[in-house]
Amino acid sequence: MPATVLTARALLLDMDGTLVNSDAVVERCWRRWALREGLDPEAALKVVHGRQGYATMAVLLPDRPMEQNYADNRVMLAEETADTDGVVPIAGAPAFMDAIAGLPHALVTSADEALARTRMNASGLRMPVTRVTAESVGASKPDPEGFLKGAAELGFAPADCVVFEDSEAGIAAGRAAGMRVVGVGPRAAALSPDAHVEDLTQLRVEAVADGSIRLHISARQPGAGGPRSATAGLRQS
């Protein structure tokens, strides 16, 4: 099957589930919180991905004062920042980050600056110079504020940006921002992104002479039993 090709001027990257696999930490921390609140942990885990913590709490406990959600979120962020056991890069992420190092890109994450830096470091990934973290926005994904701010800081129109996301809230935010979305991983598969990859080994990045970026997205071979070698190379043309 031929590769799908998307052309962009800038790339906006989610972190958790897209560049970094932090599911083990997220599940540990949110299970503890759900049990403390008398909630079903499995139900909590269905809505936690992609949102800031206070927004998840508001979904799960809609009648609770938001001030309590903000307070609990501060505790949650401290717990998650202190726990890096099992935090690893998504397959292909190191090569992908190397490939886009000289191209316009930004990290747009629901994590705060400390948590983002901790997880990127734990995964051995370069922290982008341009980043939009929890402190930078007034509204959590699925609100498009973060992606719109990332595009503006890079100096590009939303239509010229491609978003990389794994979660329902994140994909909805990218769409609401008027951007195309590459869905990454199993959570994204059923959410109809513009293109989908199991991991970042299915990507090849090409820097074009006119300043645009071509993303070559290869199909996963049927029956492939695990991550392939990284293919996210940079080719000048």
Side-chain angles (χ1 to χ4, degrees):
M1 182 181 296
T4 298
V5 180
L6 296 178
T7 301
R9 291 281 174 180
L11 309 178
L12 301 177
L13 317 172
D14 175 52
M15 182 182 68
D16 292 304
T18 301
L19 299 175
V20 173
N21 183 345
S22 57
D23 282 0
V25 176
V26 171
E27 291 187 7
R28 280 195 295 271
C29 291
W30 279 96
R31 283 180 189 279
R32 286 197 299 267
W33 179 86
L35 290 171
R36 286 198 299 267
E37 298 297 326
L39 299 173
D40 176 5
E42 299 306 319
L45 292 175
K46 288 179 181 178
V47 299
V48 65
H49 296 288
R51 293 181 174 88
Q52 292 191 43
Y54 73 83
T56 295
M57 294 169 190
V59 171
L60 294 169
L61 295 171
D63 297 326
R64 190 165 77 153
M66 188 58 74
E67 291 76 11
Q68 184 61 49
N69 295 336
Y70 289 134
D72 276 13
N73 188 48
R74 288 191 289 271
V75 174
M76 178 74 72
L77 284 170
E79 291 178 354
E80 291 191 72
T81 303
D83 185 355
T84 58
D85 187 19
V87 175
V88 295
I90 295 292
F96 175 69
M97 292 301 289
D98 287 346
I100 67 172
L103 303 175
H105 67 282
L107 189 72
V108 181
T109 175
S110 294
D112 66 4
E113 176 76 17
L115 180 57
R117 190 171 295 280
T118 293
R119 287 186 174 163
M120 293 291 280
N121 287 343
S123 301
L125 298 176
R126 171 184 57 80
M127 177 69 99
V129 173
T130 303
R131 48 192 179 269
V132 179
T133 57
E135 303 96 329
S136 308
V137 296
S140 172
K141 299 172 186 176
D143 191 283
E145 181 186 357
F147 287 124
L148 291 172
K149 186 166 186 177
E153 290 193 10
L154 292 172
F156 293 95
D160 289 330
C161 298
V162 168
V163 164
F164 286 77
E165 264 287 359
D166 72 300
S167 69
E168 182 176 8
I171 290 174
R175 285 193 181 123
M179 301 172 184
R180 290 157 294 156
V181 180
V182 175
V184 180
R187 282 189 289 269
L191 301 173
S192 301
D194 295 279
H196 177 259
V197 295
E198 292 298 327
D199 57 47
L200 299 176
T201 66
Q202 289 176 251
L203 283 164
R204 181 170 63 83
V205 180
E206 178 187 357
V208 184
D210 66 1
S212 63
I213 304 165
R214 288 189 190 131
L215 300 168
H216 299 261
I217 302 168
S218 62
R220 175 71 77 194
Q221 296 299 318
R228 300 179 298 170
S229 60
T231 59
L234 175 62
R235 177 164 67 86
Q236 300 288 344
S237 65

